[in-house]
Amino acid sequence: MAQEYDLVILGGGTGGYVAAIRASKLGLKTAIVEKRELGGTCLHRGCIPSKALLRSAEVFKQTKEADRYGVSTENPTLNFTKVQERKQSIVDTLHKGVQGLMKKGKIDVYEGFGRILGPSIFSPTAGTISVEMNNGEENEMLIPKNVLVATGSTPKSLPGLEIDGEVVMSSDEALHMKELPESIIIVGGGVIGIEWASMLADFGVKVTVLEYLPHILPTEDEDISREMLKQMKKKGVDIVTSAKVLPDTIEKDTGVKVDAEVDGETVTYEAERMLVSVGRSANVDNIGLENTDIQVENGTIQTNKVYQTKESHIYAIGDVIGGMQLAHVASHEGMIAVEHMADQNPHPMNPEQVPSCIYSNPEVSSVGLTEKAAKEKGFDVKVGKFPFQAIGKALVHGETDGFVKIVADKETEDLLGVHMIGPHVTDMISEAALAQVLDATPWEIAETIHPHPTLSEAIGEAAMAVDGNQIHG
Ligand code: NAD
């Protein structure tokens, strides 16, 4: 029998489930269709499990260096089975939490694969959802007033370097490694590549990163990218930039061997495993888009600013629409879409107000324009930069690498961007994000009293440094 809903959401990841909760609070009768587990990539194959592994790597590294803090430890060893168990128990706890939230919000969850049907006996417009149930029972038919497509993305592979899940892995398989390899080649020095390079190097794995472009983290501010290169080299990571991997040359056996063209020469790289981290593709296949007028360009669903597709009652959010593929972006987009369905007149999201974070050691975080992007947009910029080396709390922590960089407009004094690399900067970026939302100037950030001793003092100092007024540097 067909079920009627105000909203059916395809995909129960961070975008989909947060949208469902918002919808339920707005009084919409809501259902989610999820083919795997609620929580999606972020909870099961992305943010949470990778950060749990990164934390273990950090603790291992710090324990080995404990002597620096006056703490004696003898020959600390790693129990990777326990590392994986800890990761899984965090994921399981949060998964239960999301399931509980669905119950609390009276949100129906259909475990199966949902497809959008064209106009049918159920509805004169496209949008009826047919769910192929995981338990093999007859398909469910859901008739919604609105649909939200939140089907996410999957790791890309490269032709010739197809993921076999054993020797050549994507981050999906890497997260489930039972044992650490002795060595690994990481193809792609973007966010995933650098988080894994940092983690595996801290676990003691020999890491080589092959990045196609001249810089790792190519979308970050160039100063950040340069500092990360320095920090990765300090960890012993071999970073090769401007490296053109030649997939035809791949040889796999118990390990993997591949050639890359570097500075006009062919160099052979060899390791026990390979991780391919060259971006993620939107999940647009088999979900029935051909039954609708929804436009797909460059593999992503096209929407307006409130996330309506060409079918105005079908919305799409998160990785499936491209843009910034971040969990917090997906959930924010989901809330905007749902509020629009409920006639709430939501405020559109401004990408320059979206913080982004990289959880390597050291961490990276940023919001707004890079110095280069600001100049390309025609701003006459001024820059303030302040090192953690001069911050008391960073010395106390024993982590003094990195800096805070603030980019401002000389003419209007407006804040244009904030970029940080160093200890706990992913927890500090929200101040800069709030400053962006409030259209603050560096002067206003400097007027904000930063408690002493804290790492956040580096933000206040960098804000003062925009006009050369920093105190401790
Ligand atoms: P990415 O776009 O961040 O980086 C891909 C890198 O691969 C780029 O540096 C690119 O130049 C390089 N590359 C592309 N083709 C190559 C080739 N043939 N040989 C060598 N290098 C090549 O993508 P990602 O790291 O796979 O991450 C995917 C998405 O997931 C990103 O949008 C990212 O922001 C998101 N993500 C975010 C977080 C976080 O917020 N901490 C963590 C993981 C992933």
Side-chain angles (χ1 to χ4, degrees):
M1 206 182 76
Q3 303 284 335
E4 293 190 8
Y5 287 97
D6 294 317
L7 170 63
V8 172
I9 301 175
L10 287 191
T14 315
Y17 89 72
V18 169
I21 295 171
R22 185 80 190 105
S24 133
K25 295 208 168 180
L26 287 167
L28 304 185
K29 188 180 176 215
T30 303
I32 286 186
V33 183
E34 170 55 56
K35 66 173 177 166
R36 294 174 81 169
E37 306 97 353
L38 285 174
T41 299
C42 172
L43 178 49
H44 299 276
R45 292 171 296 285
C47 326
I48 298 297
S50 64
K51 266 82 258 179
L53 296 184
L54 275 155
R55 173 72 180 134
S56 287
E58 185 186 23
V59 171
F60 185 49
K61 180 171 178 275
Q62 278 189 346
T63 311
K64 283 194 289 186
E65 294 169 358
D67 198 44
R68 280 208 290 142
Y69 300 84
V71 178
S72 298
T73 49
E74 247 176 64
N75 200 16
T77 52
L78 188 69
N79 180 339
F80 197 63
T81 307
K82 259 196 167 163
V83 169
Q84 286 285 27
E85 282 168 5
R86 174 177 183 273
K87 174 206 82 180
Q88 200 51 46
S89 96
I90 294 166
V91 170
D92 293 344
T93 304
L94 291 170
H95 186 203
K96 279 200 193 94
V98 178
Q99 288 168 319
L101 288 170
M102 294 302 101
K103 276 206 183 94
K104 194 171 160 207
K106 300 194 171 32
I107 296 154
D108 292 341
V109 178
Y110 292 86
E111 293 176 6
F113 191 93
R115 274 186 195 82
I116 307 173
L117 304 182
S120 65
I121 47 162
F122 300 111
S123 161
T125 53
T128 299
I129 305 291
S130 152
V131 187
E132 196 179 319
M133 300 298 289
N134 287 350
N135 61 12
E137 282 177 7
E138 201 180 323
N139 284 11
E140 291 274 0
M141 284 296 168
L142 313 180
I143 308 172
K145 290 196 180 94
N146 293 288
V147 176
L148 180 66
V149 181
T151 48
S153 64
T154 33
K156 273 186 196 160
S157 66
L158 288 170
L161 297 190
E162 279 80 16
I163 309 298
D164 60 39
E166 284 291 324
V167 178
V168 180
M169 306 177 290
S170 71
S171 52
D172 284 4
E173 293 82 24
L175 282 167
H176 290 104
M177 284 190 289
K178 289 200 170 64
E179 285 165 16
L180 286 168
E182 269 181 23
S183 57
I184 193 161
I185 296 168
I186 299 181
V187 180
V191 181
I192 294 182
I194 293 304
E195 285 186 355
W196 277 91
S198 168
M199 175 215 300
L200 292 173
D202 285 350
F203 275 141
V205 177
K206 163 104 195 61
V207 182
T208 305
V209 176
L210 302 178
E211 165 57 47
Y212 182 74
L213 293 174
H215 300 283
I216 53 166
L217 302 180
T219 54
E220 295 298 327
D221 191 276
E222 282 177 11
D223 283 346
I224 298 282
S225 159
R226 257 192 298 275
E227 179 68 19
M228 183 58 89
L229 178 71
K230 195 170 119 192
Q231 296 303 328
M232 286 295 121
K233 285 192 169 165
K234 210 160 122 182
K235 273 185 203 292
V237 177
D238 185 13
I239 302 236
V240 189
T241 51
S242 304
K244 188 173 172 208
V245 177
L246 305 169
D248 295 352
T249 63
I250 192 163
E251 282 176 37
K252 287 192 283 180
D253 192 353
T254 48
V256 59
K257 223 178 188 186
V258 76
D259 287 352
E261 226 176 79
V262 186
D263 295 332
E265 284 188 20
T266 304
V267 186
T268 304
Y269 296 92
E270 207 170 340
E272 209 179 307
R273 301 255 184 136
M274 178 184 278
L275 170 68
V276 179
S277 49
V278 293
R280 300 181 61 92
S281 310
N283 292 333
V284 290
D285 291 339
N286 303 322
I287 55 173
L289 298 182
E290 66 285 1
N291 301 324
T292 71
D293 288 335
I294 293 174
Q295 277 184 332
V296 177
E297 272 174 35
N298 297 324
T300 56
I301 295 180
Q302 303 299 298
T303 69
N304 65 14
K305 284 191 168 188
V306 289
Y307 309 108
Q308 282 170 300
T309 66
K310 279 277 177 258
E311 303 263 8
S312 59
H313 63 297
I314 305 183
Y315 294 67
I317 53 126
D319 285 8
V320 77
I321 65 167
M324 297 170 106
Q325 291 181 315
L326 302 170
H328 48 280
V329 167
S331 51
H332 197 79
E333 289 171 346
M335 289 192 282
I336 291 175
V338 163
E339 286 168 16
H340 188 260
M341 288 169 205
D343 297 324
Q344 297 278 306
N345 197 18
H347 193 65
M349 191 178 72
N350 175 353
E352 283 170 24
Q353 295 172 350
V354 176
S356 69
C357 299
I358 304 173
Y359 297 85
S360 45
N361 180 356
E363 294 182 343
V364 168
S365 62
S366 61
V367 65
L369 298 176
T370 63
E371 183 178 352
K372 189 169 169 217
K375 285 179 178 159
E376 280 166 5
K377 279 197 154 191
F379 289 105
D380 190 7
V381 304
K382 51 181 181 176
V383 170
K385 214 168 148 186
F386 198 83
F388 282 107
Q389 184 70 52
I391 296 292
K393 188 72 178 284
L395 264 89
V396 169
H397 262 286
E399 293 174 54
T400 52
D401 290 320
F403 55 83
V404 174
K405 173 174 175 176
I406 293 189
V407 183
D409 182 356
K410 247 186 208 167
E411 204 180 304
T412 62
E413 299 291 334
D414 279 342
L415 180 67
L416 297 173
V418 179
H419 308 273
M420 313 190 209
I421 178 165
H424 299 282
V425 296
T426 59
D427 290 312
M428 297 205 300
I429 195 65
S430 301
E431 175 187 355
L434 180 64
Q436 280 286 77
V437 170
L438 297 180
D439 215 1
T441 61
W443 180 83
E444 284 162 320
I445 295 178
E447 276 296 290
T448 309
I449 296 169
H450 292 87
H452 177 74
T454 61
L455 295 168
S456 73
E457 287 174 90
I459 301 178
E461 288 273 19
M464 289 192 270
V466 167
D467 291 311
N469 294 329
Q470 68 276 23
I471 301 295
H472 295 93

